[in-house]
Amino acid sequence: MMKPGWVRRDIVKTGLRGLPLCTMASLMGIERSNAAIDATADPTQGRALIFDEPFKEINGRIWNGGPKATTGPSGFYGRSAFAPLSGAEGFKPYEIIDDPDATGGTALQISAKYIGRTMTVVNYYGNNTPDYQWISGNLQAGSRSGVVSIGWAQGYFEARMKFPRHPLTWPAFWLLNRDGIANTKRSIEVDIVEQKGFEPNLYGAYLHEWGQPGEHNEGSGVPTSVDMTQQYCRYGVLIRDGQCIPYFERKPIINPATNQINIWTLTRASEMERTGDVFWPLLTLALRTDVPAPQLTEAQKLAHMRVDYVRVYG
């Protein structure tokens, strides 16, 4: 475990090959503890802050934009094309904005815009389909080369976010494993939050260990007492000793179907430890395809998701 006196070295210093020093540290596994997990406790209690992204800027040494990092499919999904950091079709979906409700006064804003004309996004299946002529954003720490800029085997991962109210938006904060980039049949996906823009008081949390043998899926709906489109909320997951526990506002999620705390088994934990695998984060504003395209108002042709911070505690 790193000492509490952690500083944000990814900005003030650089390490080997131009990578942030915190990157080099983050790729190391976090020492296992023999203590049992108390799922009812604040998941940050007794843990040191080992990564803090307050989004004063978009650090290109950490984050890249575009399709999901994979050597399998194109990396696009939904009815929008994920743009690189520089934008696409004349639209840049990533910016840092002033926001008095954000912890440090600034936030990352990821937007989705309806372009409404033929597009030329490479490998995007929706360029010629009017309902799919959207540009949106996917900010991630992984790359198609298999290299990740930041990643951790274990820890408590958290983002503070505010979602758009919209009939199609599908925002998410999620994790993928590094080894799954090259081998999609061994991909592990931890969906800390997936929200549909027309359901302001409900989201989903999921664990997917893709591929046979032993494909494994867990999930739960998460009703909230607050409107997630009107205020920032904290979404997190604790991954430790082969277990995944999702949290909302630092309280463990109760599965409505079982009335029990969600404690999911990561069945490939030993495999990850053996290969030195790590999880890396993604922040995504996608658009759903599971409903017919609605008649949109002019205001609905542009939507915004905000991210106050991303933090990891080890």
mmCIF file of all heavy atoms in Angstrom, residues 88-115:
data_model
loop_
_atom_site.group_PDB
_atom_site.id
_atom_site.type_symbol
_atom_site.label_atom_id
_atom_site.label_comp_id
_atom_site.label_asym_id
_atom_site.label_seq_id
_atom_site.Cartn_x
_atom_site.Cartn_y
_atom_site.Cartn_z
ATOM 1 N N ALA A 88 -14.152 14.554 -34.353
ATOM 2 C CA ALA A 88 -14.482 13.921 -35.637
ATOM 3 C C ALA A 88 -15.668 14.642 -36.239
ATOM 4 O O ALA A 88 -16.536 15.154 -35.516
ATOM 5 C CB ALA A 88 -14.812 12.436 -35.437
ATOM 6 N N GLU A 89 -15.707 14.686 -37.550
ATOM 7 C CA GLU A 89 -16.805 15.334 -38.279
ATOM 8 C C GLU A 89 -17.030 16.775 -37.825
ATOM 9 O O GLU A 89 -18.157 17.268 -37.759
ATOM 10 C CB GLU A 89 -18.100 14.522 -38.141
ATOM 11 C CG GLU A 89 -18.014 13.116 -38.685
ATOM 12 C CD GLU A 89 -17.781 13.083 -40.195
ATOM 13 O OE1 GLU A 89 -18.302 13.970 -40.901
ATOM 14 O OE2 GLU A 89 -17.077 12.159 -40.661
ATOM 15 N N GLY A 90 -15.940 17.456 -37.475
ATOM 16 C CA GLY A 90 -16.022 18.849 -37.065
ATOM 17 C C GLY A 90 -16.511 19.065 -35.651
ATOM 18 O O GLY A 90 -16.764 20.213 -35.254
ATOM 19 N N PHE A 91 -16.625 17.992 -34.874
ATOM 20 C CA PHE A 91 -17.128 18.110 -33.508
ATOM 21 C C PHE A 91 -16.153 17.469 -32.536
ATOM 22 O O PHE A 91 -15.697 16.339 -32.746
ATOM 23 C CB PHE A 91 -18.496 17.432 -33.375
ATOM 24 C CG PHE A 91 -19.054 17.442 -31.979
ATOM 25 C CD1 PHE A 91 -19.355 18.637 -31.346
ATOM 26 C CD2 PHE A 91 -19.267 16.254 -31.293
ATOM 27 C CE1 PHE A 91 -19.869 18.646 -30.047
ATOM 28 C CE2 PHE A 91 -19.781 16.256 -30.005
ATOM 29 C CZ PHE A 91 -20.083 17.456 -29.381
ATOM 30 N N LYS A 92 -15.809 18.183 -31.459
ATOM 31 C CA LYS A 92 -14.916 17.670 -30.424
ATOM 32 C C LYS A 92 -15.729 17.418 -29.157
ATOM 33 O O LYS A 92 -16.201 18.359 -28.520
ATOM 34 C CB LYS A 92 -13.802 18.688 -30.147
ATOM 35 C CG LYS A 92 -12.747 18.188 -29.175
ATOM 36 C CD LYS A 92 -11.643 19.228 -29.009
ATOM 37 C CE LYS A 92 -10.586 18.751 -28.023
ATOM 38 N NZ LYS A 92 -9.491 19.752 -27.867
ATOM 39 N N PRO A 93 -15.913 16.156 -28.782
ATOM 40 C CA PRO A 93 -16.803 15.848 -27.661
ATOM 41 C C PRO A 93 -16.181 15.966 -26.277
ATOM 42 O O PRO A 93 -16.869 15.735 -25.281
ATOM 43 C CB PRO A 93 -17.218 14.403 -27.935
ATOM 44 C CG PRO A 93 -16.083 13.823 -28.686
ATOM 45 C CD PRO A 93 -15.494 14.941 -29.503
ATOM 46 N N TYR A 94 -14.885 16.293 -26.196
ATOM 47 C CA TYR A 94 -14.209 16.349 -24.897
ATOM 48 C C TYR A 94 -13.790 17.781 -24.589
ATOM 49 O O TYR A 94 -13.137 18.434 -25.403
ATOM 50 C CB TYR A 94 -12.947 15.470 -24.903
ATOM 51 C CG TYR A 94 -13.138 14.102 -25.513
ATOM 52 C CD1 TYR A 94 -12.773 13.848 -26.835
ATOM 53 C CD2 TYR A 94 -13.668 13.051 -24.766
ATOM 54 C CE1 TYR A 94 -12.925 12.599 -27.396
ATOM 55 C CE2 TYR A 94 -13.834 11.788 -25.320
ATOM 56 C CZ TYR A 94 -13.467 11.569 -26.636
ATOM 57 O OH TYR A 94 -13.633 10.326 -27.194
ATOM 58 N N GLU A 95 -14.124 18.260 -23.384
ATOM 59 C CA GLU A 95 -13.642 19.565 -22.965
ATOM 60 C C GLU A 95 -13.655 19.655 -21.441
ATOM 61 O O GLU A 95 -14.388 18.930 -20.756
ATOM 62 C CB GLU A 95 -14.472 20.693 -23.564
ATOM 63 C CG GLU A 95 -15.940 20.698 -23.179
ATOM 64 C CD GLU A 95 -16.701 21.865 -23.802
ATOM 65 O OE1 GLU A 95 -16.114 22.963 -23.936
ATOM 66 O OE2 GLU A 95 -17.891 21.681 -24.147
ATOM 67 N N ILE A 96 -12.820 20.543 -20.933
ATOM 68 C CA ILE A 96 -12.813 20.856 -19.509
ATOM 69 C C ILE A 96 -13.599 22.142 -19.319
ATOM 70 O O ILE A 96 -13.335 23.145 -19.996
ATOM 71 C CB ILE A 96 -11.371 21.025 -18.978
ATOM 72 C CG1 ILE A 96 -10.556 19.752 -19.209
ATOM 73 C CG2 ILE A 96 -11.389 21.390 -17.497
ATOM 74 C CD1 ILE A 96 -11.066 18.513 -18.509
ATOM 75 N N ILE A 97 -14.576 22.105 -18.422
ATOM 76 C CA ILE A 97 -15.435 23.263 -18.218
ATOM 77 C C ILE A 97 -15.398 23.693 -16.755
ATOM 78 O O ILE A 97 -15.099 22.901 -15.862
ATOM 79 C CB ILE A 97 -16.894 22.956 -18.624
ATOM 80 C CG1 ILE A 97 -17.472 21.826 -17.749
ATOM 81 C CG2 ILE A 97 -16.992 22.587 -20.101
ATOM 82 C CD1 ILE A 97 -18.963 21.663 -17.881
ATOM 83 N N ASP A 98 -15.702 24.945 -16.513
ATOM 84 C CA ASP A 98 -15.881 25.439 -15.148
ATOM 85 C C ASP A 98 -17.222 24.951 -14.633
ATOM 86 O O ASP A 98 -18.240 25.006 -15.344
ATOM 87 C CB ASP A 98 -15.834 26.966 -15.115
ATOM 88 C CG ASP A 98 -14.469 27.520 -15.472
ATOM 89 O OD1 ASP A 98 -13.462 26.843 -15.166
ATOM 90 O OD2 ASP A 98 -14.402 28.615 -16.057
ATOM 91 N N ASP A 99 -17.226 24.449 -13.418
ATOM 92 C CA ASP A 99 -18.462 23.934 -12.820
ATOM 93 C C ASP A 99 -18.384 24.129 -11.311
ATOM 94 O O ASP A 99 -17.604 23.442 -10.633
ATOM 95 C CB ASP A 99 -18.643 22.462 -13.165
ATOM 96 C CG ASP A 99 -19.994 21.907 -12.708
ATOM 97 O OD1 ASP A 99 -20.645 22.541 -11.858
ATOM 98 O OD2 ASP A 99 -20.390 20.830 -13.195
ATOM 99 N N PRO A 100 -19.169 25.028 -10.737
ATOM 100 C CA PRO A 100 -19.103 25.266 -9.295
ATOM 101 C C PRO A 100 -19.531 24.071 -8.458
ATOM 102 O O PRO A 100 -19.207 24.000 -7.269
ATOM 103 C CB PRO A 100 -20.050 26.456 -9.090
ATOM 104 C CG PRO A 100 -20.966 26.422 -10.271
ATOM 105 C CD PRO A 100 -20.158 25.895 -11.402
ATOM 106 N N ASP A 101 -20.249 23.108 -9.066
ATOM 107 C CA ASP A 101 -20.675 21.917 -8.324
ATOM 108 C C ASP A 101 -19.617 20.831 -8.316
ATOM 109 O O ASP A 101 -19.766 19.824 -7.615
ATOM 110 C CB ASP A 101 -21.971 21.356 -8.922
ATOM 111 C CG ASP A 101 -23.155 22.294 -8.734
ATOM 112 O OD1 ASP A 101 -23.192 23.004 -7.709
ATOM 113 O OD2 ASP A 101 -24.026 22.330 -9.619
ATOM 114 N N ALA A 102 -18.553 21.002 -9.089
ATOM 115 C CA ALA A 102 -17.460 20.032 -9.098
ATOM 116 C C ALA A 102 -16.523 20.312 -7.927
ATOM 117 O O ALA A 102 -16.377 21.452 -7.485
ATOM 118 C CB ALA A 102 -16.698 20.103 -10.413
ATOM 119 N N THR A 103 -15.889 19.274 -7.448
ATOM 120 C CA THR A 103 -15.059 19.368 -6.248
ATOM 121 C C THR A 103 -13.969 20.431 -6.373
ATOM 122 O O THR A 103 -13.744 21.218 -5.466
ATOM 123 C CB THR A 103 -14.417 18.001 -5.950
ATOM 124 O OG1 THR A 103 -15.458 17.020 -5.826
ATOM 125 C CG2 THR A 103 -13.609 18.050 -4.665
ATOM 126 N N GLY A 104 -13.303 20.469 -7.517
ATOM 127 C CA GLY A 104 -12.223 21.426 -7.722
ATOM 128 C C GLY A 104 -12.597 22.595 -8.607
ATOM 129 O O GLY A 104 -11.729 23.355 -9.031
ATOM 130 N N GLY A 105 -13.886 22.740 -8.920
ATOM 131 C CA GLY A 105 -14.346 23.858 -9.728
ATOM 132 C C GLY A 105 -14.309 23.630 -11.225
ATOM 133 O O GLY A 105 -14.763 24.472 -11.997
ATOM 134 N N THR A 106 -13.754 22.491 -11.662
ATOM 135 C CA THR A 106 -13.756 22.143 -13.085
ATOM 136 C C THR A 106 -14.204 20.697 -13.247
ATOM 137 O O THR A 106 -14.085 19.888 -12.321
ATOM 138 C CB THR A 106 -12.368 22.301 -13.740
ATOM 139 O OG1 THR A 106 -11.433 21.424 -13.094
ATOM 140 C CG2 THR A 106 -11.882 23.740 -13.653
ATOM 141 N N ALA A 107 -14.699 20.376 -14.427
ATOM 142 C CA ALA A 107 -15.154 19.017 -14.712
ATOM 143 C C ALA A 107 -14.854 18.674 -16.160
ATOM 144 O O ALA A 107 -14.739 19.562 -17.019
ATOM 145 C CB ALA A 107 -16.655 18.880 -14.443
ATOM 146 N N LEU A 108 -14.722 17.387 -16.420
ATOM 147 C CA LEU A 108 -14.668 16.885 -17.781
ATOM 148 C C LEU A 108 -16.094 16.806 -18.317
ATOM 149 O O LEU A 108 -16.979 16.255 -17.658
ATOM 150 C CB LEU A 108 -14.041 15.493 -17.804
ATOM 151 C CG LEU A 108 -14.191 14.693 -19.103
ATOM 152 C CD1 LEU A 108 -13.364 15.299 -20.220
ATOM 153 C CD2 LEU A 108 -13.825 13.225 -18.878
ATOM 154 N N GLN A 109 -16.309 17.360 -19.503
ATOM 155 C CA GLN A 109 -17.606 17.219 -20.162
ATOM 156 C C GLN A 109 -17.425 16.400 -21.433
ATOM 157 O O GLN A 109 -16.623 16.749 -22.301
ATOM 158 C CB GLN A 109 -18.208 18.577 -20.502
ATOM 159 C CG GLN A 109 -19.580 18.483 -21.153
ATOM 160 C CD GLN A 109 -20.299 19.818 -21.182
ATOM 161 O OE1 GLN A 109 -20.975 20.182 -20.206
ATOM 162 N NE2 GLN A 109 -20.179 20.562 -22.259
ATOM 163 N N ILE A 110 -18.150 15.285 -21.506
ATOM 164 C CA ILE A 110 -18.177 14.460 -22.715
ATOM 165 C C ILE A 110 -19.560 14.632 -23.335
ATOM 166 O O ILE A 110 -20.574 14.466 -22.656
ATOM 167 C CB ILE A 110 -17.903 12.978 -22.404
ATOM 168 C CG1 ILE A 110 -16.529 12.804 -21.747
ATOM 169 C CG2 ILE A 110 -17.977 12.148 -23.681
ATOM 170 C CD1 ILE A 110 -16.187 11.367 -21.406
ATOM 171 N N SER A 111 -19.592 14.961 -24.620
ATOM 172 C CA SER A 111 -20.847 15.298 -25.288
ATOM 173 C C SER A 111 -21.149 14.331 -26.421
ATOM 174 O O SER A 111 -20.261 13.666 -26.959
ATOM 175 C CB SER A 111 -20.784 16.725 -25.842
ATOM 176 O OG SER A 111 -20.485 17.656 -24.821
ATOM 177 N N ALA A 112 -22.422 14.278 -26.784
ATOM 178 C CA ALA A 112 -22.884 13.532 -27.959
ATOM 179 C C ALA A 112 -23.664 14.494 -28.835
ATOM 180 O O ALA A 112 -24.541 15.219 -28.345
ATOM 181 C CB ALA A 112 -23.760 12.355 -27.540
ATOM 182 N N LYS A 113 -23.344 14.515 -30.119
ATOM 183 C CA LYS A 113 -24.014 15.441 -31.047
ATOM 184 C C LYS A 113 -24.511 14.687 -32.275
ATOM 185 O O LYS A 113 -23.799 13.855 -32.843
ATOM 186 C CB LYS A 113 -23.044 16.548 -31.481
ATOM 187 C CG LYS A 113 -23.675 17.578 -32.406
ATOM 188 C CD LYS A 113 -22.694 18.674 -32.785
ATOM 189 C CE LYS A 113 -23.348 19.707 -33.706
ATOM 190 N NZ LYS A 113 -22.389 20.790 -34.072
ATOM 191 N N TYR A 114 -25.740 15.020 -32.664
ATOM 192 C CA TYR A 114 -26.289 14.445 -33.893
ATOM 193 C C TYR A 114 -25.773 15.239 -35.080
ATOM 194 O O TYR A 114 -26.015 16.449 -35.195
ATOM 195 C CB TYR A 114 -27.816 14.461 -33.856
ATOM 196 C CG TYR A 114 -28.439 13.854 -35.088
ATOM 197 C CD1 TYR A 114 -28.227 12.511 -35.390
ATOM 198 C CD2 TYR A 114 -29.221 14.615 -35.948
ATOM 199 C CE1 TYR A 114 -28.780 11.939 -36.528
ATOM 200 C CE2 TYR A 114 -29.786 14.048 -37.085
ATOM 201 C CZ TYR A 114 -29.553 12.711 -37.367
ATOM 202 O OH TYR A 114 -30.104 12.141 -38.499
ATOM 203 N N ILE A 115 -25.032 14.570 -35.977
ATOM 204 C CA ILE A 115 -24.455 15.223 -37.147
ATOM 205 C C ILE A 115 -25.478 15.290 -38.278
ATOM 206 O O ILE A 115 -25.599 16.297 -38.974
ATOM 207 C CB ILE A 115 -23.182 14.482 -37.602
ATOM 208 C CG1 ILE A 115 -22.180 14.383 -36.440
ATOM 209 C CG2 ILE A 115 -22.559 15.182 -38.805
ATOM 210 C CD1 ILE A 115 -21.742 15.698 -35.852
#
